[in-house]
Amino acid sequence: MVKKVITRQELIKKYLEFFKKQGHKEIPSSSLVPANDPTVLFTTAGMHPLVPFLLGQPHPLGKRLVDIQKCIRTGDIDEVGDSFHHTFFEMMGNWSLGDYFKKEAIAWSYEFATKILGLKKEKLAVTIFAGNSNSPKDTESEKLWLELGIPKEKISFLESNWWEHPSNNTPCGPCTEMFYWKPNNLKVPKKFNPEDNNWVEIWNDVLMGFTKIGSKYIPAKQKNIDNGRGLERVLAVLNGFEDNYLTDVWHPIIKEIENLSGKKYNGNEKTMRIIADHIKASVMIIADGITPSNTERGYVLRRLIRRAIRYASLLGIKENFTHKLIEPIIEIYSDYKELKKNKNNIIAELDKEENKFRATLEQGLREFDKIKKDKKELSGKEAFLLYQSYGFPIEMTEELAKENKIKLNQKEFYEENKKHQELSRTSSSGQFKSGLADNSEATTRLHTAAHLLNQALREILEDKTIAQKGSNINPERLRFDFNFPRKLTEEELRKVEDWINNKIKQKISVVREEMPLKKALESGAHGEFGAKYPEIVSVYSISNISREICTGPHVKNTSELGKFKITKEESSSAGVRRIKAVLN
Ligand code: SER
């Protein structure tokens, strides 16, 4: 079935070699759970782990970086099933942190595509930013592409060629994308039409010249390059496949689904792609420490596993099967050591979820059939019953309703759900409520105050084991969770406030240093309980009173903070207290 022209490993090797030759240092993929960028649910692009460095913090490895970053995009889950959308994918990125800009970025993009990968020049086309009220038309990029030999008729100007991060105070800018003519048996049209799906986007050069602040875009202090390529698409194009699932990052999984179902891929493409995609993404998410649940990331994971099970059952797979797909996935991605290391846990979590859902799936489907009979609309209450009693994620019920051409009263479902406070519906686009809401000055001040609070609690409550269990900071207030067995007294709360206000009055400098994680821990720096840290970390110290592993941002001096006031102290969960506080 597969004619192997080039494998994932070979592509990665060529890619890293080329950019290393241009002075880039390789950085490892960060976790799918963003450590440096807690404003998103999952790492959806290579830039998330790099936001502090794109905003000007020096990176320990310098100004030119290259990486293969694991990504999850949940916005496209419903698109999965076609030949080129994936929930989990790898982004091949090269980065300039205030170093080279458009000229080199575009030239290397072109050289890598044509000389190193051997993509045909006549099959390439590009899009360029058309300009809007924030930023002018990018004629500089046009000039560069023309000089490299891309003809005028293969260049299209689009206003949508702009890339930004969902949260505030983040780098952004116009982008220029490369497209490749996919069909093997159709002549390349003379004129490029980006709307034609036969042209597949393979590359995105983001020319980060701006910072988004609120609804404004201001010229950035540091100009960066964020150049990302979807590995799966490039691999397919290189192999001359019009279907990504024929490449070696999918084929062994599809083959196992063929074995399990006794059916062929041809004729069952959509179903098999969905199963392969969702289980691959689930394996990757579990390996990064998430388990199925009804909230946030755990809910996305649950939704993926359950949808895969429903599709597998359409293929006639009625027994637990997910563990059978783990082996090929681990083999394809043997370079991600966390997969092998967590193999038993991945098997156990998938099995547990499968057992749970299989117990109710058939019954739930029967219930759905009963409800839908003679009805044109599924009420919110009925959808909620499917959710609560049979474990059908609302998105699955939506899909079933769509397949059966009946309407679903979503509004009523959410009202019902709210009444029961059951499910927190989340997406990857900025609804995640943990960590910093943005990098604004107000949030930054509260972030430093949270470090002081962490230490104040240890001092006032005379308990050295107190550690941060979670935090959530927005420009209005901070929320800080920590381990402690009982409610704090009014007097203790006042003492904590006084301790912090006293440190603010003392005008103490906040100092940032970079060091290996081991050294940071040895030096007594505190980390968040359960957090994953890279090998080199930054440590923020407030004189000798607070020392924490943290990516920032923070104020330069405690005098910038104003007056600290606790507004609430309550229980968060068993053994964990929660404090909310403001700065006036
Ligand atoms: N940030 C851009 C993207 O995700 C390029 O890496 O497409």
Side-chain angles (χ1 to χ4, degrees):
M1 185 173 162
V2 180
K3 189 174 80 166
K4 255 195 206 162
V5 180
I6 174 163
T7 63
R8 167 182 177 270
Q9 294 292 358
E10 286 160 357
L11 171 58
I12 290 179
K13 191 163 173 276
K14 282 185 190 216
Y15 177 69
L16 295 176
E17 258 170 27
F18 177 78
F19 280 96
K20 280 182 189 169
K21 237 187 232 161
Q22 323 301 337
H24 293 67
K25 292 278 184 322
E26 184 185 345
I27 52 168
S29 173
S30 293
S31 165
L32 287 168
V33 179
N36 284 359
D37 187 356
T39 60
V40 287
L41 206 53
F42 288 107
T43 301
T44 65
M47 81 176 281
H48 294 303
L50 292 170
V51 167
F53 310 105
L54 294 165
L55 287 172
Q57 185 173 303
H59 192 283
L61 292 182
K63 293 182 170 183
R64 293 182 184 191
L65 306 174
V66 61
D67 64 359
I68 312 289
Q69 174 61 48
K70 302 187 283 187
C71 300
I72 290 276
R73 284 194 187 169
T74 54
D76 287 342
I77 289 183
D78 294 332
E79 308 283 338
V80 171
D82 66 14
S83 63
F84 62 99
H85 276 99
H86 311 303
T87 308
F88 170 88
F89 66 97
E90 292 177 288
M91 184 77 94
M92 303 190 282
N94 64 279
W95 306 88
S96 156
L97 304 172
D99 189 18
Y100 61 85
F101 203 45
K102 294 186 190 183
K103 189 166 187 280
E104 293 86 342
I106 290 177
W108 287 334
S109 276
Y110 186 72
E111 187 184 339
F112 180 64
T114 55
K115 290 221 179 89
I116 309 295
L117 297 183
L119 293 178
K120 295 205 172 71
K121 290 177 186 173
E122 56 282 8
K123 286 191 163 192
L124 287 174
V126 300
T127 56
I128 299 175
F129 182 56
N132 62 19
S133 53
N134 297 318
S135 175
K137 179 176 175 178
D138 187 7
T139 48
E140 192 186 341
S141 292
E142 181 192 24
K143 193 166 157 269
L144 292 164
W145 283 118
L146 288 170
E147 277 168 15
L148 287 168
I150 299 284
K152 244 193 155 63
E153 56 277 16
K154 291 284 167 51
I155 296 177
S156 177
F157 283 92
L158 301 174
E159 209 185 302
S160 56
N161 269 35
W162 180 272
W163 215 92
E164 64 181 47
H165 184 288
S167 55
N168 198 14
N169 199 5
T170 40
C172 57
C175 58
T176 174
E177 296 173 331
M178 275 170 99
F179 284 71
Y180 197 71
W181 181 253
K182 211 167 34 164
N184 296 314
N185 51 5
L186 289 178
K187 242 182 99 197
V188 189
K190 231 182 150 43
K191 191 158 171 50
F192 165 49
N193 171 13
E195 297 292 312
D196 178 347
N197 273 340
N198 284 317
W199 286 102
V200 57
E201 183 211 320
I202 51 169
W203 239 246
N204 186 8
D205 241 313
V206 187
L207 316 157
M208 287 180 161
F210 294 84
T211 308
K212 182 175 67 165
I213 305 216
S215 56
K216 290 205 172 63
Y217 295 87
I218 56 161
K221 284 188 207 125
Q222 173 180 302
K223 285 193 171 123
N224 309 298
I225 288 294
D226 156 15
N227 192 346
R229 306 152 185 83
L231 180 139
E232 293 73 8
R233 290 186 180 180
V234 176
L235 197 57
V237 157
L238 278 179
N239 283 290
F241 295 145
E242 290 173 37
D243 176 355
N244 289 4
Y245 288 82
L246 300 181
T247 62
D248 74 326
V249 294
W250 291 107
H251 181 246
I253 313 170
I254 298 281
K255 219 169 108 202
E256 192 55 47
I257 300 172
E258 285 186 322
N259 286 343
L260 288 165
S261 63
K263 300 207 163 84
K264 286 268 154 251
Y265 177 60
N266 290 337
N268 293 296
E269 288 92 339
K270 182 179 166 194
T271 313
M272 291 200 184
R273 287 169 186 163
I274 290 175
I275 301 168
D277 173 275
H278 287 12
I279 299 302
K280 186 200 275 189
S282 301
V283 166
M284 296 292 180
I285 292 172
I286 299 172
D288 277 348
I290 306 298
T291 51
S293 74
N294 281 343
T295 55
E296 297 172 348
R297 298 176 180 119
Y299 177 67
V300 173
L301 174 60
R302 167 156 288 167
R303 207 182 131 193
L304 288 166
I305 302 173
R306 294 190 174 195
R307 188 163 184 246
I309 295 171
R310 182 170 90 81
Y311 273 89
S313 130
L314 294 177
L315 280 183
I317 303 175
K318 303 285 181 196
E319 304 283 308
N320 281 14
F321 73 100
T322 50
H323 60 276
K324 294 254 170 61
L325 303 187
I326 294 172
E327 206 55 61
I329 296 171
I330 293 185
E331 214 155 285
I332 297 166
Y333 297 100
S334 56
D335 35 0
Y336 294 132
K337 302 288 176 240
E338 60 273 28
L339 295 182
K340 211 169 186 164
K341 206 172 118 205
N342 294 318
K343 186 175 161 186
N344 290 341
N345 181 40
I346 299 169
I347 294 176
E349 287 299 338
L350 283 172
D351 242 18
K352 203 158 76 187
E353 188 64 10
E354 212 170 347
N355 285 336
K356 230 186 238 169
F357 191 49
R358 281 195 186 279
T360 57
L361 173 63
E362 296 302 328
Q363 253 177 309
L365 288 172
R366 274 200 296 278
E367 185 65 31
F368 176 83
D369 284 341
K370 214 162 76 196
I371 297 168
K372 84 163 196 225
K373 248 191 202 157
D374 309 322
K375 284 187 77 178
K376 297 224 160 31
E377 184 171 312
L378 196 68
S379 74
K381 276 204 166 80
E382 287 161 342
F384 189 73
L385 172 85
L386 286 173
Y387 166 68
Q388 203 183 37
S389 304
Y390 302 102
F392 282 29
I394 181 64
E395 294 81 359
M396 181 181 288
T397 304
E398 272 169 13
E399 196 175 15
L400 278 166
K402 217 161 133 195
E403 283 166 15
N404 286 277
K405 299 196 174 40
I406 55 173
K407 274 201 214 139
L408 163 70
N409 190 332
Q410 278 203 21
K411 200 171 151 253
E412 199 182 279
F413 170 83
Y414 285 109
E415 280 162 10
E416 195 62 22
N417 177 49
K418 213 166 162 198
K419 269 193 243 158
H420 294 258
Q421 294 283 311
E422 269 280 328
L423 163 77
S424 96
R425 186 171 146 101
T426 46
S427 80
S428 60
S429 57
Q431 292 180 34
F432 181 44
K433 299 280 182 287
S434 176
L436 301 191
D438 55 37
N439 291 311
S440 66
E441 278 175 29
T443 303
T444 305
R445 278 198 295 272
L446 282 159
H447 190 191
T448 307
H451 280 213
L452 286 173
L453 173 60
N454 197 351
Q455 188 57 30
L457 290 165
R458 280 191 285 268
E459 300 279 340
I460 305 299
L461 301 173
E462 292 178 2
D463 181 346
K464 296 282 172 265
T465 69
I466 288 178
Q468 176 175 333
K469 293 281 180 180
S471 85
N472 170 290
I473 303 174
N474 65 34
E476 277 84 46
R477 57 110 186 91
L478 70 83
R479 195 181 81 196
F480 186 83
D481 292 354
F482 59 101
N483 53 306
F484 197 62
R486 59 161 175 85
K487 193 167 177 52
L488 273 64
T489 64
E490 283 301 322
E491 197 193 343
E492 283 166 342
L493 292 174
R494 220 193 44 245
K495 278 191 181 161
V496 168
E497 282 178 349
D498 290 348
W499 189 95
I500 294 171
N501 284 321
N502 186 19
K503 302 300 172 224
I504 294 173
K505 263 196 219 124
Q506 288 176 19
K507 299 193 169 102
I508 309 168
S509 312
V510 181
V511 177
R512 179 182 163 276
E513 296 160 277
E514 258 161 26
M515 62 187 77
L517 176 62
K518 202 164 159 261
K519 193 169 159 221
L521 292 170
E522 279 165 9
S523 75
H526 292 273
E528 181 171 355
F529 179 81
K532 265 191 179 179
Y533 292 107
E535 263 170 51
I536 307 274
V537 293
S538 55
V539 173
Y540 279 89
S541 306
I542 306 174
S543 175
N544 57 358
I545 54 178
S546 156
R547 193 165 168 77
E548 290 197 35
I549 301 173
C550 178
T551 50
H554 284 281
V555 298
K556 297 247 176 310
N557 191 290
T558 58
S559 62
E560 294 167 48
L561 298 189
K563 196 165 171 22
F564 180 85
K565 186 161 177 39
I566 293 175
T567 53
K568 199 165 192 160
E569 191 274 342
E570 60 191 347
S571 160
S572 163
S573 59
V576 178
R577 304 299 301 176
R578 169 169 291 179
I579 281 183
K580 288 187 183 162
V582 294
L583 286 168
N584 293 319

